[in-house]
Amino acid sequence: MNKKDKDLANLKKSREFELQADREAATMLAKAGYKGRICLKDIDFMYRSTGDGSATEPDSSHPGYDDRRKAMLANYIALEKNPPKPENPSNRYFQYDKKDNLLLFIPK
């Protein structure tokens, strides 16, 4: 594969990872007990507040608005058909690291 094709393949994989991260975020919020399509609402809010409704471009590391929204909607439909089991908060805790701006998950 030439360099250009490798770069485009890597960017496509990056876009897939972004969609996977979106799905995982929605699942985590559902497991935490949050109701509704929170992540979908956030995608829409970002679009409305920035006006960036760009399409997915082959040379972009992130999916465009329409693709991201379509994938998240499909994910919520699947979650609503088979909701994830809420997790027991007693077996873990979270700690915020202000220096690195990280929320740490620490299992007990």
Side-chain angles (χ1 to χ4, degrees), residues 34-42 72-73 76-77 80:
Y34 290 91
K35 304 293 183 204
R37 297 176 174 184
I38 297 168
C39 293
L40 185 61
K41 290 177 183 178
D42 189 54
M72 183 55 72
L73 180 59
Y76 271 114
I77 290 169
E80 289 160 359

Side-chain angles (χ1 to χ4, degrees), residues 24-91:
E24 304 249 344
T27 300
M28 285 191 297
L29 289 171
K31 285 181 176 183
Y34 290 91
K35 304 293 183 204
R37 297 176 174 184
I38 297 168
C39 293
L40 185 61
K41 290 177 183 178
D42 189 54
I43 289 170
D44 289 338
F45 173 79
M46 287 189 305
Y47 166 69
R48 285 191 315 273
S49 64
T50 66
D52 182 9
S54 60
T56 301
E57 298 292 337
D59 62 347
S60 176
S61 61
H62 286 67
Y65 169 73
D66 288 335
D67 288 340
R68 193 168 215 162
R69 189 179 196 294
K70 181 180 175 182
M72 183 55 72
L73 180 59
N75 182 61
Y76 271 114
I77 290 169
L79 282 175
E80 289 160 359
K81 287 180 182 175
N82 188 19
K85 184 178 178 185
E87 293 198 7
N88 181 356
S90 64
N91 64 357

Side-chain angles (χ1 to χ4, degrees), residues 88-99:
N88 181 356
S90 64
N91 64 357
R92 68 193 187 282
Y93 69 97
F94 293 91
Q95 178 181 342
Y96 178 65
D97 181 336
K98 188 173 184 177
K99 178 181 164 269

